[in-house]
Each structure stands twice: as structure tokens, then as C-alpha cells.
Amino acid sequence: MAPVPDHPPAPPAANWWRRPLRAIHTVLREPDAADYDLEGVLAWLKRWRANVYAVNGGGLCAFYQTEIPLHRKNRFLNGRDLFKEIVDACHAEGIKVIARCDFRGMHPDMFEAHPDWAAYDADGRPKRREVLFGTCPNSPFRNDGFAIPLIDEVLGRCGADGIWENAASFGGRCYCRSCCRTFRAETGVDDIPLEEDWEDPVWRRYVRWRYERVREHTARLRDAVKRHGSDRSYCGEFFSYLEPGARESAEDTDEIRDLWDYQMVCIFPLTRGSYRSPLLPVPVWRAEEQMKYLRATGGGNWSRTTTDGGPTPHDGGAPRPPAAPAGWPAPSSVSYRVPQTPVMLYGHFDNRSRYTTPAREEMALWLAGMAAQGGSPWDCSFVGVPPERWWDRRHQDVQERFYAFMAAHEADFAGLESVAEVALVHSQRTQDRFASGDPAHDGYITHQRGWMLALFAAHRQWDVLPPSSLTAEGLRPYRAVVLPNVACLSDEEAAALRAYVGRGGGLIATYETGCYTADGARRETGALDDLLGVRGLPAPVRGPLPHSYARLRRDDGAAHPLLGGFDGTDVITNEGYVRQVSATDGQVHATLIPEIFPQPPDLSYPALRGDDVPLVVTRLHGRGRVVYLAGQTDRLNVTSGHPDHGRLLANALAWTLEERPSLLETDAPEDVHVTLLRQPASGRLYVHLVNYTGARGRPVAAPHPTGAVRLSIDERLIRGGALRAALLVSQASVPVERGAGRVTATVPRVDRHEIVRIAATGSPEGPTRSPPR
């Protein structure tokens, strides 16, 4: 195939951080300053084609000649102004420098001088974080007393391009004077609660208060950064989405997104502790789920940019993209806005073993998954020396080739937005209330991932939708919305969902969705029960039921589409908890068979009937369709391993979507994740295919290459007459056909990762060199 001509420049962006980032981050140890190899680091940055370098500025230790009282100066500097030297040298090469600032704790001498700056436990003892005295967002240390003067030094005196706040979260419960005083003043409650008790309104208010205080702290630090110029960036370390302990961190990106200049999450490709499961300690596709969430909160979903009033997916139309800036092809007349860049901070070292690398294929898939969701890489190492001096020097070529590939195709990764037909709602409030670090006791994260598995396997195009998008405008682009045990809903969110279904949208809800208020208090009546066609019984939840079943109902003699693929059986397994409801309106497709204990076999038969407890209900509402699964079917798709649960989820989705053609259809294997993105500035479409066939266990083995994969896309998503498709990874072109309202192309094979770029003939294209291996 003929090579594709050179790139155009990347789409214009308001700030440097709205372009694709390729960051290298070194967490310097104190002795690294003694023989810091600036020339070697610069050579590394240029070899990897990095455009951002993140490195220690100050906080725990100053890597420059600080003038702040009690700011510990690195004793290995020997008079050097090392951080300023790094900034000046990188700027000469056109590389931005971000100062890593860590305000998690104080050294003993500062604690002795300012004991009121520390965090305290409920017994009045100062909290320790390793060798430090812990601090909280309310403390003067993390605000005007220390952190803000430090920001002024590294941005003003040293000239850094931005601040990256390490350990930006709340850091657990704190009973310091600042916390007690502020909590009393802002809530009217005298004392911070000592125990977690979700039945206690004071505890629920305390959880909310911590989020408010983190947001206020974040706003203060952002203001401090922006006083040095609008071109200075601010972002913080984030661990929240699908993290069981997130309520202790009290960070919600959906609330903080406007205060950070780019959306970043820290996720490391862990292999240790996996028990050979692709889902432990986190899914092997963790990069994809995290980038989807950051794309949603950063304005990279259609929900935040489609505002022209045109046809929407659930009305049978396709979303219209925003218009391009001057000089770019304009697909429509809607105002164009560059979304925030979703960034993945990862490590080529295992975060639990900071001097050894994870498995090669695991690292390669981690990067591919990040890129497939429009993310940018931020490679973090915990030593401050160039790679040739690392103890473990394996797999450097994986990152180097990937960075080179992203640099060569920078215009292909710029300003991407999702094109999706299904929204998977994420509720930070429900996560706080019901998530657990023990998968056996979790009541939220496994529900979410069960649906993710089903959506990836069905190759549906889907977005994560945060609560701020549960509005008429935010829901409008989607044909269906999925609520995986989204227990905590406000009345306003419930009303928006009800109106959405009435207009023609589909909705699937599971288990206790809507049974709690926004702050986690149990409702007497579920907020969506009328929409779901059920009424809660006096005993709300039954279980656990490890030996129960769902009896499939074919009342009219013909199977409903929801029961497709279940020929030859009247039951499927059921485990866990069931919300006990009665059906008030709609059709019941499965009911509960109470436990049939396997031992002793002589007594292994149902002792009670349960046909009055529905497990699967469908109904019509206005122009829309609704499915309610009263059990934990989505959770079982993760924990059970039986294929029936995934099949039932897929059937529910197909029926809800009225079995109409999807925006993208493909015959790719289930283990190949397929994601459709659009670049509204150019009108180009991108299809990413990430091959997880070698990821059935951990560590990940080499993927099994696929045969030919056919892609069929709704032609309304791309304008122009003749089209052409380029395979960016394998450096080839493939024919594009048009007909019956579809655009089709066939990828000859997928090894680990392929990117298909579809554009109108005559639009600017780019080279296909330096593919990742």
C-alpha cells in the first residue's frame, strides 16, 4: 500500500496543556541531587520525544535554594539551584516543566514550630505519615502558611510552567483544630463523628463536608497558580474512580474538573497480587475505564459538546460534531471547544516494587488502552537518573516506541471526542456508601465492571456519565442509559431520567438503584420505582442467596427477546442479594426460586416458592423502554463466571435499544475492545482496536492475532463523498465502501493494537511511522 502523506499541524488549542501530552516524571530521591545528570535526562526526554517533564520542586524537600522558613533544603544540592537549572535547560529544548509539590506532611522541626499545622486523630494525637507528621486540606501548612508561598517560589523564582500537587486528597479523617472549627461553623454540628454510620445524618454530612473542603483547597491553590499567569497549569494527584476508599480521599473529579487544567489519574500496571485473574488487583483494561471517566469529566463526551438541537441517537439520528476552528474543515456550525486532556500517570516500574518492571505485554496493553480512549501518557519513575542507569532496564523500547508513535501522530490524538450511544452512570456517592476493597463484599464497583465487561464484549460504544450530566442536555446524545446499582439518586436526577425515557431513551437499572437519597439515606420508596414498574416490599433486601435460581417465564408460549439464547432451560443461576419488589406495571420475565441447598442431596429441592418475587421486569414508558433487574446480575457477570449473566445483560441492552443498528458494528472477537472517537476539528473518525486475547490471566501473555475484522459505521457520523481509511499502526491503507447508510472497512488483522483513521478524500492525513511494538 502507498504511504500516507504528512500531517497537518495539530488542531489549535487555547493552552499548551490542551494538546496531547507526552510527559516523563521523575520522583527524585534526595541523593539524586548529588550527581544529577541533566544532560542525560535531556537526552532521554528528546529520545522519547517528550513535551513535558515533571520533577520535584519542593514540599517535602526543596530542590532549589528556597527562602521559605523551615522548608527543608536538599542537603545534596551543594549550593546548586537544581530545579531552576532543569527549568532553564528544558525550556531551551521547548519542553514544559511541571513542579511536583508534595504537601502530605511536615518534618519534625516544622511540627515543633507549628504543631497546629498537623492533622490529628480522634484521641488528639498527631497523625503520622511514614516519617512525617500528616496534614489535611484545612491546615495552614497546605494553604497560606506554607504551600502557597512555595508555589510562588517555584513559579515565580524558578519559572516552572505548572504545579502538580502530590497527595492532593483529604488523607482520611482528621480532628485538628482547623477541621473541628470549620466543620462546626459550616454545618452547625458541634463534633465531627467518630464512627462511620450511614444511618446517622451527621456522618453523611461529614462525608459531604470533606468533599467541599477538598474543592475549596483546590480552588485556593489554583488561584495561587493563576496569579502567575493564565499559561501556568495546575493539576493534582487523583485516586477516586472505582476506588473503594475514595471517601477517605474526598476527591470527586466531577466536582473538581473545572479547577484542574488537565484531567489526570494515577494508575500503575500492577501484576503482583493478581492471583492470575485479569480483574485483580485491577482489570487489565483499567487504563480504558479510567480514561473514559476523565474524558467524561473533562468535556470529551458528546454530552458536553452537542448543543445544536440536531437529531440524537435515541431519536434515530446521529450526534453532530462541533465546528472546527479557522483553517479546518467545518463539519457543522456548532461552536468548537477543545476538551481537557485526559492523562494517565503510570509507571514502567511496578508501584509495589519500584525498582522492577511489570510484564512486557501488560505494559504494552496498558498504553494501548490509554490511547484507545484518547488519553495522554505520563510516565513516572521513582529514581532521578536516565534509563541506562536503572537497575531494571527491560522494556524501555515499549515506552520509547509508543511515545515516538504518539509524537508522529500528534494531530491524530488531538481534540478527540467520544461517539457513543450508551451511557454508563457512575455515582461517587453510591461508591462511598457501598463499595468495598473486598470483592466478596463490594456492592458497587463489581456492578459497574459487570456492565463494562458486557459492553466491551458486545462492542457497544459507551461513555461513563457522571452525576453532573444527569440532565436533559447531558442525557440527550444517548440511546440508552445504564444504572448499575446507582443506589444514591437525587430527586432532580430521577426526574431527568424519567423525562429522558419519556422522550424515547432506553433505561436499564439494577438492584437498589434509586433506593437512597443523594447523601445516602434510605428512601421509603425508590426514586425510580414508578418508572421501573415495581413497588418495594416491607423487607427491602433478601440474601445472600448463594444457591438460588431465576425461573424464566414464557407466559405466552413465545420467548421475549430478553430470553434469547436460553432455549432448553427454565432456570439460570442466581447469587447474592435480591431487592424484594412486586411488579405494578410491565412484564415479568424471571422470578426468584429461593435457595436449593446442594447438600444433603435427599433434601435438595425447593422448600418455598418464590414466583411472587420478580427478578426481571420490562415496561414501556412514553416512547422509551425500561428494563429492571432486581438482583445483582451485573455483579455476577464479574464474580460468577457463568456466561448466562453476560447474555442476560446483552439481551437487556439489545431490547432497550430496540435492536436497531449500532453506531458501530463489527465481527471482532469479544476480547478485542473497539472504540470509536471523532476529531471534530477535522471531521475524521478513529476506530481503536485493542486485543486482549492474551489477557485471560496475569501476567498478560502475547495476544493471539485476529483474522480479518470488519467495521461498519453509521455514515451520518462522517461527511464527504469519497473516503479513505489508513491503518496507523500497521502502516497501510484499506478500501472503504459506502452503501445502505453504512461506511464499511476491513482490517486484515489485529495484533495488539490497531488504529483505523477514516477521512474524506482530500482532507489532511498523516504519516504512519514508528508504530508501537
Side-chain angles (χ1 to χ4, degrees):
M1 297 290 181
V4 185
D6 286 342
H7 267 298
N15 298 97
W16 60 264
W17 53 79
R18 293 291 176 106
R19 66 184 288 191
L21 303 180
R22 299 180 301 279
I24 289 177
H25 182 156
T26 55
V27 181
L28 302 183
R29 305 161 300 179
E30 276 195 291
D32 291 332
D35 60 348
Y36 184 80
D37 183 2
L38 181 53
E39 290 186 4
V41 170
L42 285 174
W44 171 24
L45 298 176
K46 291 189 287 186
R47 188 171 67 250
W48 281 30
R49 302 188 66 178
N51 54 17
V52 174
Y53 181 41
V55 64
N56 301 52
L60 301 184
C61 175
F63 281 78
Y64 63 94
Q65 298 301 315
T66 181
E67 297 178 1
I68 298 174
L70 299 176
H71 186 193
R72 177 171 174 169
K73 190 181 299 183
N74 188 322
R75 63 182 184 273
F76 296 95
L77 283 176
N78 295 321
R80 293 180 68 183
D81 221 358
L82 180 59
F83 180 70
K84 190 175 188 312
E85 291 178 25
I86 292 170
V87 171
D88 293 342
C90 285
H91 283 177
E93 299 292 342
I95 298 170
K96 302 293 184 181
V97 178
I98 302 299
R100 174 188 180 272
C101 297
D102 195 329
F103 307 123
R104 79 179 74 183
M106 304 183 292
H107 292 286
D109 58 340
M110 186 174 287
F111 171 74
E112 291 176 6
H114 300 284
D116 56 317
W117 288 8
Y120 286 81
D121 63 21
D123 295 324
R125 295 179 298 233
K127 296 177 68 174
R128 302 300 296 262
R129 299 194 66 171
E130 296 83 30
V131 297
L132 306 170
F133 288 87
T135 60
C136 77
N138 296 318
S139 67
F141 178 83
R142 289 178 63 176
N143 294 284
D144 291 331
F146 179 75
I148 291 176
L150 189 153
I151 288 172
D152 291 338
E153 277 195 338
V154 297
L155 295 182
R157 185 180 181 282
C158 300
D161 298 287
I163 297 292
W164 184 77
E165 184 186 4
N166 191 74
S169 70
F170 203 99
R173 303 177 208 174
C174 177
Y175 299 84
C176 72
R177 292 179 184 176
S178 296
C179 283
C180 292
R181 180 178 61 252
T182 307
F183 181 72
R184 185 179 304 112
E186 295 184 355
T187 68
V189 178
D190 289 337
D191 297 313
I192 294 174
L194 300 178
E195 301 294 335
E196 178 176 332
D197 180 3
W198 287 94
E199 302 302 319
D200 181 1
V202 174
W203 167 257
R204 298 195 300 270
R205 183 65 186 93
Y206 174 60
V207 171
R208 178 71 254 154
W209 174 80
R210 282 191 296 189
Y211 280 101
E212 293 166 356
R213 298 307 298 173
V214 168
R215 177 177 170 81
E216 183 174 328
H217 163 77
T218 304
R220 281 196 296 268
L221 263 61
R222 175 182 174 83
D223 288 345
V225 170
K226 295 303 179 180
R227 284 199 294 269
H228 291 268
S230 61
D231 61 336
R232 307 298 178 95
S233 70
Y234 171 61
C235 187
E237 186 177 35
F238 165 65
F239 297 94
S240 181
Y241 178 54
L242 302 187
E243 296 281 356
R247 65 176 172 273
E248 299 300 331
S249 299
E251 284 181 298
D252 186 351
T253 299
D254 194 33
E255 297 180 350
I256 296 177
R257 61 169 183 259
D258 295 330
L259 301 174
W260 286 346
D261 288 313
Y262 44 90
Q263 303 286 70
M264 175 191 278
V265 67
C266 302
I267 49 172
F268 291 82
L270 295 173
T271 301
R272 293 175 60 194
S274 70
Y275 302 100
R276 301 194 65 81
S277 166
L279 294 171
L280 293 173
V282 294
V284 71
W285 32 265
R286 175 67 160 157
E288 293 203 60
E289 69 181 20
Q290 284 280 7
M291 291 300 100
K292 277 183 178 287
Y293 182 59
L294 294 192
R295 196 178 62 211
T297 57
N301 283 359
W302 285 114
S303 59
R304 297 195 184 280
T305 55
T306 306
T307 57
D308 65 337
T312 61
H314 68 254
D315 285 332
R320 294 181 181 176
W328 283 79
S332 81
S333 60
V334 187
S335 296
Y336 176 75
R337 185 170 72 88
V338 179
Q340 284 182 298
T341 303
V343 178
M344 178 181 78
L345 187 152
Y346 73 101
H348 51 256
F349 297 122
D350 186 323
N351 197 30
R352 294 179 59 188
S353 178
R354 292 185 168 184
Y355 294 96
T356 56
T357 65
R360 180 184 183 88
E361 285 298 329
E362 192 126 335
M363 174 61 66
L365 275 180
W366 212 256
L367 290 167
M370 174 273 302
Q373 302 301 330
S376 288
W378 187 292
D379 183 280
C380 178
S381 63
F382 298 95
V383 291
V385 297
E388 56 269 19
R389 292 173 56 189
W390 296 342
W391 287 354
D392 189 341
R393 295 171 296 282
R394 295 172 293 179
H395 317 330
Q396 293 178 31
D397 59 310
V398 173
Q399 285 92 340
E400 183 173 340
R401 291 180 66 85
F402 204 92
Y403 270 58
F405 177 77
M406 296 199 75
H409 291 279
E410 180 168 330
D412 289 310
F413 289 100
L416 297 176
E417 292 188 334
S418 166
V419 184
E421 57 192 341
V422 178
L424 185 71
V425 175
H426 165 62
S427 167
Q428 187 76 28
R429 297 163 303 198
T430 305
Q431 178 176 298
D432 286 349
R433 181 76 163 82
F434 294 104
S436 170
D438 181 355
H441 297 96
D442 172 69
Y444 178 72
I445 295 173
T446 44
H447 288 262
Q448 285 276 331
R449 287 184 173 146
W451 269 108
M452 290 180 184
L453 283 169
L455 289 162
F456 276 131
H459 301 122
R460 295 286 184 180
Q461 299 308 299
W462 57 282
D463 287 334
V464 176
L465 205 66
S468 63
S469 292
L470 291 179
T471 63
E473 180 60 28
L475 293 167
R476 190 176 66 83
Y478 301 103
R479 289 173 53 189
V481 172
V482 179
L483 301 163
N485 192 32
V486 179
C488 300
L489 279 177
S490 70
D491 292 341
E492 294 76 15
E493 292 162 351
L497 289 165
R498 192 176 293 106
Y500 163 79
V501 176
R503 293 191 302 267
L507 185 137
I508 305 174
T510 69
Y511 192 38
E512 290 195 287
T513 290
C515 291
Y516 295 78
T517 62
D519 70 347
R522 178 175 282 280
R523 294 175 177 271
E524 291 186 7
T525 302
L528 292 177
D529 281 3
D530 60 325
L531 180 62
L532 304 178
V534 299
R535 179 191 300 114
L537 298 179
V541 172
R542 183 174 180 177
L545 303 170
H547 306 297
S548 63
Y549 297 82
R551 185 193 302 276
L552 307 181
R553 288 177 53 166
R554 301 177 178 90
D555 295 339
D556 57 1
H560 187 277
L562 210 69
L563 303 184
F566 292 109
D567 299 339
T569 183
D570 295 325
V571 296
I572 60 176
T573 61
N574 185 70
E575 301 171 42
Y577 291 87
V578 171
R579 184 187 173 209
Q580 298 198 112
V581 297
S582 62
T584 59
D585 182 19
Q587 186 176 358
V588 177
H589 303 281
T591 55
L592 176 67
I593 298 177
E595 291 195 288
I596 305 176
F597 295 97
Q599 295 293 338
D602 316 64
L603 304 179
S604 182
Y605 59 87
L608 298 171
R609 291 186 60 81
D611 289 346
D612 58 336
V613 179
L615 292 180
V616 182
V617 180
T618 63
R619 71 183 295 264
L620 304 178
H621 175 79
R623 297 165 54 200
R625 297 184 174 195
V626 178
V627 178
Y628 177 56
L629 305 172
Q632 297 182 299
T633 307
D634 41 8
R635 170 178 161 77
L636 294 176
N637 198 34
V638 171
T639 61
S640 169
H642 199 291
D644 283 349
H645 307 295
R647 181 177 294 115
L648 186 57
L649 298 183
N651 289 351
L653 193 61
W655 181 80
T656 305
L657 293 170
E658 303 182 54
E659 300 178 333
R660 291 181 299 189
S662 298
L663 296 178
L664 182 147
E665 296 181 335
T666 180
D667 58 1
E670 287 188 0
D671 286 335
V672 175
H673 291 187
V674 182
T675 301
L676 177 64
L677 300 173
R678 180 165 186 157
Q679 189 179 69
S682 66
R684 296 192 293 239
L685 292 181
Y686 294 87
V687 182
H688 283 255
L689 300 99
V690 184
N691 186 356
Y692 291 95
T693 55
R696 290 284 176 155
R698 306 286 277 277
V700 174
H704 309 298
T706 71
V709 173
R710 182 175 180 271
L711 304 171
S712 171
I713 302 171
D714 189 322
E715 70 173 352
R716 289 170 294 183
L717 293 174
I718 188 165
R719 286 160 172 78
L723 302 174
R724 58 180 175 180
L727 307 182
L728 302 188
V729 174
S730 56
Q731 307 182 59
S733 298
V734 295
V736 178
E737 298 178 359
R738 225 169 175 160
R742 310 292 292 183
V743 172
T744 60
T746 299
V747 180
R749 65 180 264 160
V750 179
D751 292 317
R752 180 190 301 118
H753 180 205
E754 186 58 86
I755 307 171
V756 184
R757 179 179 61 204
I758 301 175
T761 301
S763 68
E765 298 284 356
T768 52
R769 59 181 182 269
S770 303
R773 297 295 182 190

CSV table of all heavy atoms in Angstrom, one decimal, residues 687-719:
chain,number,residue,atom,x,y,z
A,687,VAL,N,-11.1,4.6,14.8
A,687,VAL,CA,-11.5,3.3,15.5
A,687,VAL,C,-10.3,2.7,16.0
A,687,VAL,O,-9.4,2.3,15.3
A,687,VAL,CB,-12.2,2.4,14.5
A,687,VAL,CG1,-12.7,1.1,15.2
A,687,VAL,CG2,-13.4,3.1,13.8
A,688,HIS,N,-10.3,2.5,17.4
A,688,HIS,CA,-9.2,1.8,18.0
A,688,HIS,C,-9.6,0.4,18.3
A,688,HIS,O,-10.7,0.1,18.8
A,688,HIS,CB,-8.8,2.5,19.4
A,688,HIS,CG,-8.0,3.7,19.2
A,688,HIS,ND1,-6.7,3.8,19.5
A,688,HIS,CD2,-8.4,5.0,18.8
A,688,HIS,CE1,-6.3,5.0,19.3
A,688,HIS,NE2,-7.3,5.8,18.9
A,689,LEU,N,-8.7,-0.6,18.1
A,689,LEU,CA,-9.0,-2.0,18.4
A,689,LEU,C,-7.8,-2.4,19.3
A,689,LEU,O,-6.6,-2.4,18.9
A,689,LEU,CB,-9.0,-2.8,17.1
A,689,LEU,CG,-10.1,-2.5,16.1
A,689,LEU,CD1,-9.5,-1.6,15.0
A,689,LEU,CD2,-10.8,-3.7,15.5
A,690,VAL,N,-8.1,-2.8,20.5
A,690,VAL,CA,-7.1,-3.3,21.5
A,690,VAL,C,-7.4,-4.8,21.7
A,690,VAL,O,-8.5,-5.1,22.2
A,690,VAL,CB,-7.2,-2.5,22.8
A,690,VAL,CG1,-6.1,-2.9,23.7
A,690,VAL,CG2,-7.1,-1.0,22.5
A,691,ASN,N,-6.4,-5.6,21.5
A,691,ASN,CA,-6.5,-7.0,21.5
A,691,ASN,C,-6.1,-7.6,22.9
A,691,ASN,O,-4.9,-7.7,23.2
A,691,ASN,CB,-5.7,-7.7,20.4
A,691,ASN,CG,-5.9,-9.1,20.2
A,691,ASN,OD1,-6.6,-9.8,21.0
A,691,ASN,ND2,-5.2,-9.7,19.3
A,692,TYR,N,-7.1,-8.0,23.7
A,692,TYR,CA,-6.9,-8.6,25.0
A,692,TYR,C,-7.0,-10.1,25.0
A,692,TYR,O,-7.2,-10.7,26.1
A,692,TYR,CB,-7.9,-8.0,26.0
A,692,TYR,CG,-7.7,-6.5,26.3
A,692,TYR,CD1,-8.5,-5.6,25.6
A,692,TYR,CD2,-6.9,-6.1,27.3
A,692,TYR,CE1,-8.3,-4.2,25.9
A,692,TYR,CE2,-6.7,-4.8,27.6
A,692,TYR,CZ,-7.5,-3.8,26.9
A,692,TYR,OH,-7.3,-2.5,27.2
A,693,THR,N,-6.8,-10.7,23.9
A,693,THR,CA,-6.9,-12.2,23.8
A,693,THR,C,-5.9,-12.9,24.7
A,693,THR,O,-6.1,-14.0,25.1
A,693,THR,CB,-6.9,-12.7,22.4
A,693,THR,OG1,-5.7,-12.3,21.8
A,693,THR,CG2,-8.1,-12.3,21.6
A,694,GLY,N,-4.8,-12.2,24.9
A,694,GLY,CA,-3.7,-12.8,25.8
A,694,GLY,C,-3.9,-12.5,27.2
A,694,GLY,O,-3.0,-12.7,28.0
A,695,ALA,N,-5.0,-11.8,27.6
A,695,ALA,CA,-5.2,-11.3,28.9
A,695,ALA,C,-6.2,-12.1,29.8
A,695,ALA,O,-6.8,-11.5,30.6
A,695,ALA,CB,-5.6,-9.8,28.8
A,696,ARG,N,-6.3,-13.3,29.5
A,696,ARG,CA,-7.3,-14.1,30.3
A,696,ARG,C,-6.7,-14.4,31.7
A,696,ARG,O,-7.4,-14.8,32.6
A,696,ARG,CB,-7.6,-15.5,29.6
A,696,ARG,CG,-8.4,-15.3,28.4
A,696,ARG,CD,-9.9,-15.0,28.7
A,696,ARG,NE,-10.7,-14.8,27.6
A,696,ARG,CZ,-12.0,-15.0,27.5
A,696,ARG,NH1,-12.6,-15.5,28.6
A,696,ARG,NH2,-12.7,-14.7,26.5
A,697,GLY,N,-5.4,-14.2,31.9
A,697,GLY,CA,-4.8,-14.4,33.2
A,697,GLY,C,-3.7,-13.3,33.3
A,697,GLY,O,-3.5,-12.5,32.4
A,698,ARG,N,-3.0,-13.3,34.5
A,698,ARG,CA,-1.9,-12.4,34.7
A,698,ARG,C,-0.7,-13.2,35.1
A,698,ARG,O,-0.8,-14.2,35.8
A,698,ARG,CB,-2.3,-11.4,35.8
A,698,ARG,CG,-3.6,-10.7,35.6
A,698,ARG,CD,-3.5,-9.6,34.6
A,698,ARG,NE,-3.0,-8.4,35.1
A,698,ARG,CZ,-3.7,-7.4,35.7
A,698,ARG,NH1,-5.0,-7.6,36.0
A,698,ARG,NH2,-3.1,-6.3,36.1
A,699,PRO,N,0.5,-12.8,34.7
A,699,PRO,CA,0.8,-11.7,33.8
A,699,PRO,C,0.3,-12.0,32.4
A,699,PRO,O,0.1,-13.1,32.0
A,699,PRO,CB,2.3,-11.5,33.9
A,699,PRO,CG,2.8,-12.9,34.2
A,699,PRO,CD,1.7,-13.5,35.1
A,700,VAL,N,0.1,-10.9,31.7
A,700,VAL,CA,-0.5,-11.0,30.3
A,700,VAL,C,0.5,-11.6,29.4
A,700,VAL,O,1.7,-11.3,29.3
A,700,VAL,CB,-0.9,-9.6,29.8
A,700,VAL,CG1,-1.4,-9.6,28.4
A,700,VAL,CG2,-2.0,-9.0,30.7
A,701,ALA,N,0.0,-12.6,28.6
A,701,ALA,CA,0.8,-13.2,27.6
A,701,ALA,C,0.6,-12.5,26.3
A,701,ALA,O,-0.2,-11.6,26.1
A,701,ALA,CB,0.3,-14.7,27.4
A,702,ALA,N,1.4,-12.8,25.3
A,702,ALA,CA,1.2,-12.2,24.0
A,702,ALA,C,-0.1,-12.4,23.4
A,702,ALA,O,-0.7,-13.5,23.5
A,702,ALA,CB,2.3,-12.7,23.0
A,703,PRO,N,-0.8,-11.4,22.8
A,703,PRO,CA,-2.1,-11.6,22.2
A,703,PRO,C,-2.1,-12.6,21.1
A,703,PRO,O,-1.1,-12.8,20.4
A,703,PRO,CB,-2.5,-10.2,21.8
A,703,PRO,CG,-1.2,-9.5,21.6
A,703,PRO,CD,-0.2,-10.1,22.5
A,704,HIS,N,-3.3,-13.2,20.8
A,704,HIS,CA,-3.4,-14.0,19.6
A,704,HIS,C,-3.9,-13.1,18.5
A,704,HIS,O,-5.0,-12.5,18.6
A,704,HIS,CB,-4.4,-15.1,19.9
A,704,HIS,CG,-4.2,-15.9,21.2
A,704,HIS,ND1,-3.0,-16.6,21.4
A,704,HIS,CD2,-4.9,-16.0,22.3
A,704,HIS,CE1,-3.1,-17.2,22.5
A,704,HIS,NE2,-4.2,-16.8,23.2
A,705,PRO,N,-3.1,-13.0,17.4
A,705,PRO,CA,-3.6,-12.1,16.3
A,705,PRO,C,-4.9,-12.6,15.8
A,705,PRO,O,-5.2,-13.8,15.7
A,705,PRO,CB,-2.5,-12.3,15.3
A,705,PRO,CG,-1.3,-12.7,16.1
A,705,PRO,CD,-1.8,-13.6,17.2
A,706,THR,N,-5.8,-11.6,15.4
A,706,THR,CA,-7.1,-11.9,14.9
A,706,THR,C,-7.0,-12.2,13.4
A,706,THR,O,-6.0,-11.9,12.8
A,706,THR,CB,-8.1,-10.8,15.1
A,706,THR,OG1,-7.7,-9.7,14.2
A,706,THR,CG2,-8.1,-10.3,16.5
A,707,GLY,N,-8.1,-12.7,12.8
A,707,GLY,CA,-8.2,-12.7,11.4
A,707,GLY,C,-8.7,-11.4,11.0
A,707,GLY,O,-8.6,-10.4,11.7
A,708,ALA,N,-9.3,-11.3,9.8
A,708,ALA,CA,-9.9,-10.1,9.3
A,708,ALA,C,-11.0,-9.6,10.2
A,708,ALA,O,-11.8,-10.4,10.6
A,708,ALA,CB,-10.4,-10.2,7.9
A,709,VAL,N,-11.1,-8.3,10.5
A,709,VAL,CA,-12.1,-7.7,11.3
A,709,VAL,C,-12.8,-6.7,10.5
A,709,VAL,O,-12.2,-5.7,9.9
A,709,VAL,CB,-11.5,-7.0,12.6
A,709,VAL,CG1,-12.6,-6.3,13.3
A,709,VAL,CG2,-10.8,-8.1,13.5
A,710,ARG,N,-14.1,-6.8,10.4
A,710,ARG,CA,-14.9,-5.9,9.6
A,710,ARG,C,-15.6,-4.8,10.5
A,710,ARG,O,-16.0,-5.1,11.6
A,710,ARG,CB,-16.1,-6.7,8.8
A,710,ARG,CG,-16.9,-5.8,7.9
A,710,ARG,CD,-17.9,-6.7,7.2
A,710,ARG,NE,-18.8,-5.9,6.3
A,710,ARG,CZ,-19.9,-5.4,6.7
A,710,ARG,NH1,-20.4,-5.6,7.9
A,710,ARG,NH2,-20.7,-4.7,5.8
A,711,LEU,N,-15.5,-3.6,10.0
A,711,LEU,CA,-16.1,-2.5,10.7
A,711,LEU,C,-17.2,-1.8,9.9
A,711,LEU,O,-17.0,-1.6,8.7
A,711,LEU,CB,-15.0,-1.4,11.0
A,711,LEU,CG,-13.8,-1.9,11.8
A,711,LEU,CD1,-12.8,-0.8,11.9
A,711,LEU,CD2,-14.2,-2.3,13.2
A,712,SER,N,-18.3,-1.6,10.5
A,712,SER,CA,-19.4,-0.9,9.8
A,712,SER,C,-19.9,0.2,10.6
A,712,SER,O,-20.3,0.0,11.8
A,712,SER,CB,-20.6,-1.9,9.5
A,712,SER,OG,-21.7,-1.3,9.1
A,713,ILE,N,-19.9,1.5,10.1
A,713,ILE,CA,-20.2,2.7,10.9
A,713,ILE,C,-21.3,3.4,10.2
A,713,ILE,O,-21.4,3.5,9.0
A,713,ILE,CB,-18.9,3.6,10.9
A,713,ILE,CG1,-17.7,2.8,11.5
A,713,ILE,CG2,-19.1,4.8,11.7
A,713,ILE,CD1,-16.4,3.5,11.4
A,714,ASP,N,-22.2,4.0,11.0
A,714,ASP,CA,-23.3,4.8,10.6
A,714,ASP,C,-22.7,6.0,9.8
A,714,ASP,O,-21.9,6.8,10.3
A,714,ASP,CB,-24.0,5.4,11.8
A,714,ASP,CG,-25.3,6.1,11.4
A,714,ASP,OD1,-25.3,6.8,10.4
A,714,ASP,OD2,-26.3,6.0,12.2
A,715,GLU,N,-23.1,6.1,8.5
A,715,GLU,CA,-22.4,7.1,7.6
A,715,GLU,C,-22.7,8.6,8.0
A,715,GLU,O,-22.1,9.5,7.6
A,715,GLU,CB,-22.8,6.9,6.2
A,715,GLU,CG,-24.2,7.2,5.8
A,715,GLU,CD,-24.5,7.1,4.3
A,715,GLU,OE1,-23.5,7.0,3.6
A,715,GLU,OE2,-25.7,7.3,3.9
A,716,ARG,N,-23.7,8.8,8.9
A,716,ARG,CA,-24.1,10.1,9.3
A,716,ARG,C,-23.0,10.7,10.2
A,716,ARG,O,-23.0,11.9,10.5
A,716,ARG,CB,-25.4,10.2,10.0
A,716,ARG,CG,-26.6,10.0,9.0
A,716,ARG,CD,-27.9,9.8,9.8
A,716,ARG,NE,-27.9,8.5,10.5
A,716,ARG,CZ,-28.9,8.1,11.3
A,716,ARG,NH1,-30.0,8.8,11.3
A,716,ARG,NH2,-28.9,7.0,11.9
A,717,LEU,N,-22.1,9.8,10.7
A,717,LEU,CA,-21.0,10.3,11.6
A,717,LEU,C,-19.9,11.0,10.8
A,717,LEU,O,-19.0,11.6,11.4
A,717,LEU,CB,-20.5,9.2,12.4
A,717,LEU,CG,-21.4,8.6,13.4
A,717,LEU,CD1,-20.8,7.3,14.1
A,717,LEU,CD2,-21.8,9.6,14.5
A,718,ILE,N,-19.9,10.8,9.5
A,718,ILE,CA,-18.8,11.4,8.7
A,718,ILE,C,-19.3,12.0,7.4
A,718,ILE,O,-20.2,11.4,6.8
A,718,ILE,CB,-17.7,10.4,8.4
A,718,ILE,CG1,-16.5,11.0,7.8
A,718,ILE,CG2,-18.2,9.2,7.6
A,718,ILE,CD1,-15.2,10.2,7.8
A,719,ARG,N,-18.9,13.2,7.1
A,719,ARG,CA,-19.3,13.9,5.9
A,719,ARG,C,-18.3,13.8,4.8
A,719,ARG,O,-17.1,13.6,5.1
A,719,ARG,CB,-19.7,15.3,6.3
A,719,ARG,CG,-21.0,15.5,7.1
A,719,ARG,CD,-21.1,16.8,7.8
A,719,ARG,NE,-22.4,17.0,8.4
A,719,ARG,CZ,-22.8,16.4,9.5
A,719,ARG,NH1,-21.9,15.6,10.2
A,719,ARG,NH2,-24.0,16.6,10.0
